[in-house]
Amino acid sequence: MEGVVLILLLCLTFGAMLGVHGEDPYLFFDWKITYGTLSPLGTPQQVILINDKFPGPEINSTSNNNVVINMFNQLDEPFLITWSGVQQRKNSWMDGTLGTNCPIQPGTNQTYHFQVKDQIGSFIYYPVTGMHRAVGGFGGLHINSRLLIPVPYPDPEDDLTVIINDWYTSTHTTLKKHLDSGRSIGRPSGVLINGKNAKGDGSDEPLFTLKPEKTYKFRVCNAGLKSSLNFRIQGHLMKLVEMEGSHVIQNEYESLDVHIGACFSVLVTTNKEPKDYYMVASTRFIKTVLTGKGIIRYENGKGPASPELPEPPVGWAWSLNQFRSFRWNLTASAARPNPQGSYHYGSIEITRTLKLVNSAHRVGGKLRYAINGVSHVDPETPVKLAEYYGIAEKVFKYDLMPDSPASDSPAEIVVQPNVKNLTFRNFVEIIFENHEKSMQSWHLDGYSFFAVAIEPGTWSPEKRKNYNLLDAVSRTTIQVFPKSWAAIMLTFDNAGMWNLRSEMWEKAYLGQQMYVSVLSPERSLRDEYNIPDNFLVCGLVKDMPPPKPYTI
Ligand SMILES: *[C@@H]1O[C@H](CO)[C@@H](O)[C@H](O)[C@H]1NC(C)=O
Ligand SMILES: *[C@@H]1O[C@H](CO)[C@@H](O)[C@H](O)[C@H]1NC(C)=O
Ligand SMILES: *[C@@H]1O[C@H](CO)[C@@H](O)[C@H](O)[C@H]1NC(C)=O
Ligand SMILES: *[C@@H]1O[C@H](CO)[C@@H](O)[C@H](O)[C@H]1NC(C)=O
């Protein structure tokens, strides 16, 4: 009897050491990252391919699967991908941001190994190094419900990935040079749907061929750099069923504003005249509207898509109202990482409020973006490694950034690694205030949060009475409209080092991101895994022996 228990304990410990649970299935991938030449907007240009694909292959997983990706970097530059929305419970080691991981050097490989534990939903992955994200390396990441868990809609005929993004015709090196020399990357050149833009001259191949009288699931994500996109399908309504990990009240929409980093699952029924139709994605909130198109074809359909595209909505008040229509379906079952904290978030006492104000600056004539007066830079030693090896003080200072900005438009900013010390299991409210004239979109790694409010103007404590404390959607990105604020709430119960970033990549690259360090006081394997074997190390910790692992 004791022997059995011991073996069981050993298995559990071993499983925990690997950061996995032995009983859950594995998905193995070998990914080859290369340059390629494609002409998404008609002129040949350099793109980044994953296994020769652009956008990259989708990861189709099921809750609790172990995902193992051996990634071979065949570019001429260091490269790293993050799995946006994968919560990496106890495992920020696999988050793939520059604060947690060393980039994969050219000609070498690294194995990501993570478990999509207690999650469902539609997400994306994308590169975090340089401006690689501008030219590819992104794709869809889906987590399906396990078979025994009921899903609040009938099984669709098929599950289709729709990646929409604004697009530049410059190379990533040129875009990076612009930013490094203190200039903006300017306006995008076009909009793509799954890496293409239909010409509309009869020569376009359909992106999807669909059977008539069936219902399909489309997972639509905005993997772009800076443009919110309105997505719509000629002649078809979309029934929204899920966003970034939560089943939602199933309203029907003619179009959806998909902000940078955001993902939606919609159901579309092919019950119209059998022919071609355009899916349309067009830029929002900028004067010159750029439009991308892709064809869906009815099997045995007759006739091309009408050149008349459905009109986009106008103004951002429309978009704000749409946000307010998103409600969590409280009765739908689905895996979620923190069930105890999930249902009654509205009645948990807030222990800390962070008010984060984004701003743009010139430092020595060069453009920088900041949060509360701090513009982040990634030190050569990832901040997580510095902390874990006990040499944080040689690499960064905690809490340079105040919980609330001293001034809404600081005259001076600090350009330093921005790492905030948060207390394990605190229930925190984060206010994002955007005083700028441009859109903002934020993403937090390691968690999902309740998106409780977005309103015009500035935030004050009285605004809490306007929060949705009942059925706000638990998700991983939130947009903030110009001159507006947004509020989210969450329990910081996932130990690790987590990136909070502007999804507008130009802004993130020039400093509008930060890390939250969430340490478990017990230093226990129950709260956080040890550094994995074969983990890439770099910078100051390169030749240091790893600290004594946690054993319990
Ligand atoms: C994704 O995986 C599930 C479960 O294995 C499978 O039923 C489904 O057909 C797959 N979907 C796609 C689009 O490959
Ligand atoms: C690199 O790939 C090889 C061959 O597949 C594999 O054996 C090795 O573990 C990988 N290295 C890392 C650091 O993941
Ligand atoms: C919410 O989920 C339940 C349970 O699956 C489902 O029956 C119901 O239709 C959903 N409600 C709405 C309004 O979408
Ligand atoms: C982080 O905050 C905790 C209290 O929540 C404190 O005990 C700890 O010393 C802080 N760590 C640093 C590095 O500031």
Side-chain angles (χ1 to χ4, degrees):
M1 190 59 194
E2 264 171 45
V4 174
V5 174
L6 182 64
I7 288 170
L8 192 67
L9 267 176
L10 277 174
C11 291
L12 288 174
T13 316
F14 187 60
M17 268 158 47
L18 288 173
V20 301
H21 294 260
E23 67 274 20
D24 294 311
Y26 277 72
L27 303 176
F28 291 98
F29 302 92
D30 274 341
W31 276 11
K32 185 176 57 124
I33 315 294
T34 57
Y35 290 121
T37 305
L38 290 175
S39 311
L41 291 180
T43 341
Q45 67 179 107
Q46 188 183 59
V47 297
I48 290 178
L49 307 173
I50 300 177
N51 292 353
D52 299 322
K53 291 182 87 172
F54 167 80
E58 67 243 10
I59 297 179
N60 177 29
S61 67
T62 299
S63 303
N64 297 354
N65 282 175
N66 290 292
V67 179
V68 181
I69 302 168
N70 190 357
M71 193 177 289
F72 294 80
N73 175 9
Q74 300 182 5
L75 308 179
D76 55 357
E77 293 178 350
F79 184 78
L80 195 63
I81 275 181
T82 192
W83 320 96
S84 170
V86 173
Q87 297 201 9
Q88 310 284 10
R89 298 299 292 182
K90 311 178 191 179
N91 196 16
S92 62
W93 301 113
M94 292 298 155
D95 199 31
T97 62
L98 291 167
T100 54
N101 295 76
C102 303
I104 309 168
Q105 293 304 315
T108 70
N109 64 302
Q110 172 184 239
T111 308
Y112 291 90
H113 185 169
F114 55 83
Q115 190 178 18
V116 289
K117 182 87 184 127
D118 298 332
Q119 285 192 262
I120 59 139
S122 311
F123 305 101
I124 40 172
Y125 60 83
Y126 53 80
V128 295
T129 32
M131 288 301 283
H132 293 143
R133 182 180 178 171
V135 295
F138 48 73
L141 194 162
H142 308 161
I143 312 174
N144 300 294
S145 281
R146 286 183 297 148
L147 278 183
L148 54 158
I149 310 283
V151 171
Y153 49 88
D155 248 1
E157 179 67 18
D158 204 353
D159 189 329
L160 309 169
T161 305
V162 181
I163 305 281
I164 54 179
N165 57 281
D166 54 10
W167 186 254
Y168 288 73
T169 46
S170 316
T171 64
H172 68 91
T173 359
T174 307
L175 294 174
K176 184 169 177 296
K177 262 187 217 143
H178 280 299
L179 296 180
D180 290 343
S181 66
R183 286 174 296 151
S184 159
I185 55 173
R187 295 264 162 90
S189 317
V191 173
L192 305 183
I193 302 184
N194 284 357
K196 297 192 171 85
N197 177 24
K199 291 194 220 43
D201 59 2
S203 71
D204 305 297
E205 283 301 311
L207 294 178
F208 305 114
T209 301
L210 309 177
K211 297 194 181 95
E213 302 301 332
K214 299 282 181 196
T215 297
Y216 287 84
K217 178 151 117 182
F218 288 69
R219 309 219 199 200
V220 187
C221 298
N222 185 339
L225 292 187
K226 69 194 314 182
S227 312
S228 294
L229 296 172
N230 181 265
F231 181 77
R232 50 206 187 272
I233 305 178
Q234 271 182 333
H236 293 75
L237 289 176
M238 300 179 282
K239 186 190 269 184
L240 184 66
V241 292
E242 179 265 342
M243 71 175 71
E244 295 156 35
S246 294
H247 289 132
V248 295
I249 296 299
Q250 298 175 6
N251 296 320
E252 287 193 319
Y253 296 88
E254 278 175 12
S255 77
L256 284 163
D257 271 356
V258 192
H259 303 282
I260 300 275
C263 288
F264 295 115
S265 289
V266 296
L267 300 181
V268 177
T269 302
T270 48
N271 55 5
K272 296 291 177 312
E273 188 194 333
K275 60 184 195 83
D276 288 359
Y277 294 89
Y278 281 124
M279 296 187 288
V280 184
S282 60
T283 55
R284 292 278 274 138
F285 321 121
I286 55 175
K287 274 198 203 89
T288 324
V289 176
L290 300 169
T291 302
K293 300 189 301 257
I295 289 175
I296 56 173
R297 174 165 295 171
Y298 277 49
E299 227 173 66
N300 303 320
K302 300 190 175 46
S306 154
E308 233 166 276
L309 301 183
E311 285 295 315
V314 179
W316 58 264
W318 183 94
S319 199
L320 176 59
N321 283 335
Q322 181 162 82
F323 167 82
R324 289 181 176 150
S325 73
F326 299 152
R327 298 295 166 104
W328 198 16
N329 184 340
L330 296 173
T331 57
S333 18
R336 43 180 86 100
N338 179 12
Q340 63 282 22
S342 285
Y343 298 100
H344 305 297
Y345 69 94
S347 52
I348 306 175
E349 201 181 329
I350 296 166
T351 35
R352 190 165 173 183
T353 298
L354 298 179
K355 186 176 129 187
L356 306 182
V357 176
N358 51 276
S359 55
H361 302 264
R362 298 257 153 207
V363 177
K366 292 184 172 183
L367 186 59
R368 291 292 308 179
Y369 292 97
I371 308 173
N372 292 3
V374 182
S375 185
H376 175 81
V377 280
D378 289 305
E380 198 198 339
T381 313
V383 291
K384 172 69 184 171
L385 286 174
E387 182 180 75
Y388 188 74
Y389 280 73
I391 58 158
E393 73 286 353
K394 291 191 184 158
V395 176
F396 65 91
K397 279 204 197 71
Y398 287 96
D399 298 327
L400 271 180
M401 186 196 81
D403 279 15
S404 228
S407 133
D408 282 348
S409 49
E412 302 239 313
I413 57 163
V414 182
V415 181
Q416 290 268 326
N418 188 354
V419 182
K420 193 94 190 142
N421 176 21
L422 290 191
T423 307
F424 189 49
R425 302 211 169 112
N426 260 11
F427 187 68
V428 177
E429 166 192 50
I430 304 180
I431 317 297
F432 298 102
E433 230 178 63
N434 178 15
H435 301 171
E436 298 186 78
K437 280 183 285 189
S438 51
M439 274 303 290
Q440 184 58 271
S441 178
W442 294 99
H443 175 87
L444 173 64
D445 285 354
Y447 297 93
S448 60
F449 49 71
F450 294 96
V452 295
I454 304 183
E455 289 197 1
T458 53
W459 180 83
S460 61
E462 311 81 75
K463 303 282 166 108
R464 289 189 181 123
K465 66 178 188 308
N466 301 349
Y467 288 3
N468 176 353
L469 294 179
L470 178 68
D471 57 1
V473 181
S474 171
R475 52 187 302 189
T476 65
T477 63
I478 189 163
Q479 74 273 16
V480 194
F481 298 99
K483 313 262 181 203
S484 300
W485 58 270
I488 65 170
M489 292 173 140
L490 71 151
T491 304
F492 277 92
D493 59 357
N494 190 14
M497 180 70 81
W498 305 108
N499 190 229
L500 172 63
R501 59 183 170 270
S502 171
E503 279 283 345
M504 327 293 275
W505 203 249
E506 175 175 40
K507 296 184 175 184
Y509 181 84
L510 292 178
Q512 214 156 65
Q513 55 171 305
M514 59 182 284
Y515 285 86
V516 293
S517 162
V518 184
L519 287 173
S520 119
E522 271 114 56
R523 303 288 168 122
S524 159
L525 280 178
R526 261 171 299 140
D527 297 331
E528 189 174 10
Y529 299 139
N530 285 310
I531 192 168
D533 290 341
N534 296 326
F535 193 75
L536 285 188
V537 289
C538 54
L540 295 179
V541 304
K542 194 167 183 0
D543 300 312
M544 284 177 66
K548 211 166 128 260
Y550 311 154
T551 51
I552 51 161

